[in-house]
Amino acid sequence: MPEFKTSPGTRDILAPHSARWRAFQDVFASTVESAGYSYIIPPMFEDLDVFLRLGEATEVVTKEMYDFHDKGGRHVALRPEQTASVCRAFVEHRPTTPWKVWYAGPNFRYEKPQQGRYRQFDQVGIEALGADDPLLDAEVIALAAKFYADLGLRKVHLSINTLGDAGDREKYSQALSQYFMANEKDLTTESRATLARNPLRVLDSKREPDQKVIAGAPAIREFISDVSNQHFDAVLQALDALNISYEINNRLVRGLDYYRRTTFEFTSIALEAAHTAIGGGGRYDGLVEALGGPATPGIGFALGLDRTLLACDAEKVFDAPATAVQVFVVDTVDGMHAHAVCHELRSNGLSADRAYDLRSMKAQMKSADRSGATLALIIGSDEVENSTIMLRPMGSGDQYLIARKDLVAEVKKALNPK
Ligand code: HAM
């Protein structure tokens, strides 16, 4: 047993999975950059207060925050998500609107670890600030749907809801609170505790005994103002125009407290229930103000990288890309020849690896095999004497001598035979 292991809820991502993670971010970048989103890298920790603005009824804030006092006595926290940081950055830098940004990177929540739920987990996401247009809501949702399709996922389900504006949400919350309090005895102990903090979140309960009570709860649409209803209808029409299928789910409230009006969630129907939510987002008009900025509407989404890759596994799509080098150099003389040959190949845009510590020919050939390289270059004393190199296309059973001086041209020819 090693003395040290990763902390619960964290993992090392090794090859070949690490290459898959990078490719995932590349696909995301090209999807969203093609729609005018620019890359932002917010810090991984911020003043605790920034995250407290996510809402005091949010469990991510009350129960799951990694916060600590730094050596200067500041109370800081590792980011549990990036929307708050993006809004803080908006207030700090005052960019022109609409401000459309994308991000990728780890977040930290002290959750109970299980498959698809980690304490350090990666997200990719976008945020668009400064526009109220329902067509923007539809664009944001369409980009998420396009990204899933770009990965090759087919079994992704979109649920959508409106939570109305701040006033509507408050009225609904009060009505729910009254209803659940009247039916409290039929709720589970966990839901009773949730009710005290945030009645909306009781709707999220997946526990069987709660379902009957939840089914009879008032529906949000009765509380939504005409303006919010019109906005929602326009979002749905804009989704229809792009043939994006969705299900309206009046019970969808989501875990973060800042949502107003449009909210949505993507689930994978290829996954087990516990980690089906592979992404979600919505409008958070009011968050910029809560962080000290001017009234500014905002909308965005974030997708869990870990869970989306689990969905890819379940649908057998988006395999880890091959990362093998093109050439493996075997040198049985003194290692210096491999040293120079690798350098020359790399300087000419080719990828090359080699063995170290002057191991036997057999051991070096084994490493060449394991590397997955397309070609092996073999340098022994005969080759050095004659200024040649043996070129072996791996797995072909074939080999031939090339002149040392023609190294790069010969390797390129062997890699791309006409
Ligand atoms: P969220 O729903 O908390 O929203 O997280 C978005 C996605 O991150 C989830 O659907 C899930 O795939 C993934 N995720 C969350 N927690 C974990 C975890 N512990 N382990 C693995 N994956 C996880 C947000 O974070 C919002 N900031 C989204 C947003 C952006 N809303 C507007 N803009």
Side-chain angles (χ1 to χ4, degrees):
M1 275 288 272
E3 186 179 354
F4 297 111
K5 286 173 77 182
T6 50
S7 188
T10 69
R11 293 149 307 147
D12 298 312
I13 312 293
L14 307 179
H17 305 290
S18 47
R20 202 179 182 206
W21 279 48
R22 218 170 57 188
F24 186 98
Q25 294 184 356
D26 290 347
V27 175
F28 188 75
S30 75
T31 306
V32 295
E33 285 183 352
S34 74
Y37 289 78
S38 59
Y39 187 37
I40 179 172
I41 309 175
M44 284 199 210
F45 64 87
E46 302 249 8
D47 272 353
L48 175 71
D49 279 349
V50 170
F51 302 120
L52 292 183
R53 305 296 155 89
L54 294 176
E56 270 147 38
T58 306
E59 280 189 4
V60 166
V61 173
T62 51
K63 287 192 177 167
E64 298 171 0
M65 198 92 88
Y66 276 91
D67 62 310
F68 57 97
H69 288 92
D70 71 10
K71 290 186 170 50
R74 287 174 211 91
H75 198 172
V76 295
L78 300 182
R79 64 182 185 207
E81 56 107 65
Q82 295 176 61
T83 312
S85 298
V86 167
C87 290
R88 192 266 314 132
F90 178 82
V91 177
E92 194 168 329
H93 304 289
R94 298 291 168 100
T96 48
T97 56
W99 194 47
K100 293 163 76 173
V101 295
W102 74 272
Y103 50 79
N107 309 286
F108 306 86
R109 297 182 191 177
Y110 193 80
E111 297 202 71
K112 197 164 167 220
Q114 52 176 283
Q115 199 194 28
R117 188 178 297 282
Y118 307 98
R119 289 181 177 168
Q120 177 179 328
F121 62 95
D122 266 56
Q123 284 181 340
V124 292
I126 62 173
E127 310 294 346
L129 286 131
D132 199 36
D133 194 336
L135 294 180
L136 175 61
D137 302 36
E139 173 187 293
V140 163
I141 295 170
L143 280 172
K146 176 170 187 307
F147 174 61
Y148 289 127
D150 288 347
L151 291 176
L153 289 170
R154 296 283 168 270
K155 297 182 177 165
V156 176
H157 178 86
L158 166 64
S159 306
I160 186 165
N161 191 18
T162 179
L163 295 174
D165 56 33
D168 305 341
R169 198 188 143 116
E170 191 45 44
K171 272 185 261 159
Y172 182 50
S173 183
Q174 277 169 16
L176 271 184
S177 178
Q178 273 171 14
Y179 168 80
F180 283 131
M181 255 142 60
N183 293 280
E184 204 173 350
K185 60 174 188 350
D186 297 324
L187 287 174
T188 56
T189 324
E190 293 90 333
S191 286
R192 268 182 248 154
T194 311
L195 174 59
R197 284 194 306 276
N198 184 351
L200 283 168
R201 289 307 304 275
V202 178
L203 295 175
D204 267 352
S205 163
K206 306 276 182 293
R207 289 174 287 270
E208 191 44 44
D210 293 326
Q211 298 314 311
K212 224 171 122 196
V213 187
I214 290 173
I220 187 141
R221 275 222 125 168
E222 300 160 28
F223 297 83
I224 304 289
S225 65
D226 288 347
V227 183
S228 288
N229 260 327
Q230 278 158 16
H231 185 95
F232 191 52
D233 288 340
V235 175
L236 300 182
Q237 267 176 34
L239 289 174
D240 292 338
L242 302 180
N243 288 322
I244 293 175
S245 41
Y246 53 81
E247 179 202 8
I248 299 172
N249 176 358
N250 287 150
R251 308 266 182 240
L252 180 72
V253 291
R254 303 207 10 87
L256 293 149
D257 241 6
Y258 50 58
Y259 290 113
R260 305 276 178 269
R261 299 196 278 175
T262 314
T263 50
F264 56 91
E265 197 157 87
F266 290 93
T267 47
S268 163
I269 37 186
L271 287 180
E272 310 261 315
H275 40 258
T276 52
I278 53 173
R283 279 209 165 265
Y284 43 83
D285 308 343
L287 184 57
V288 170
E289 259 174 300
L291 286 159
T296 310
I299 180 163
F301 68 76
L303 312 178
L305 199 149
D306 315 76
R307 282 193 212 171
T308 307
L309 286 180
L310 284 176
C312 290
D313 289 342
E315 290 200 41
K316 298 196 172 47
V317 296
F318 198 66
D319 272 346
T323 53
V325 290
Q326 294 166 302
V327 184
F328 196 94
V329 185
V330 171
D331 174 351
T332 56
V333 180
D334 58 5
M336 274 308 279
H337 299 282
H339 188 60
V341 164
C342 279
H343 185 71
E344 192 173 332
L345 292 173
R346 292 169 191 159
S347 306
N348 283 278
L350 296 162
S351 59
D353 199 3
R354 53 163 300 185
Y356 302 96
D357 295 331
L358 207 57
R359 300 178 57 217
S360 69
M361 167 84 172
K362 199 171 153 207
Q364 291 193 46
M365 283 312 298
K366 221 174 179 177
S367 303
D369 258 344
R370 217 179 301 127
S371 75
T374 315
L375 305 178
L377 293 177
I378 303 161
I379 306 166
S381 42
D382 283 358
E383 282 79 13
V384 171
E385 207 167 296
N386 300 319
S387 299
T388 55
I389 295 176
M390 185 66 80
L391 187 153
R392 184 183 292 181
M394 296 297 285
S396 72
D398 215 19
Q399 58 179 17
Y400 53 92
L401 285 171
I402 59 167
R404 170 70 181 84
K405 65 177 175 33
D406 299 333
L407 171 71
V408 172
E410 289 287 353
V411 165
K412 284 189 175 163
K413 200 156 81 184
L415 286 170
N416 295 300
K418 294 240 169 61

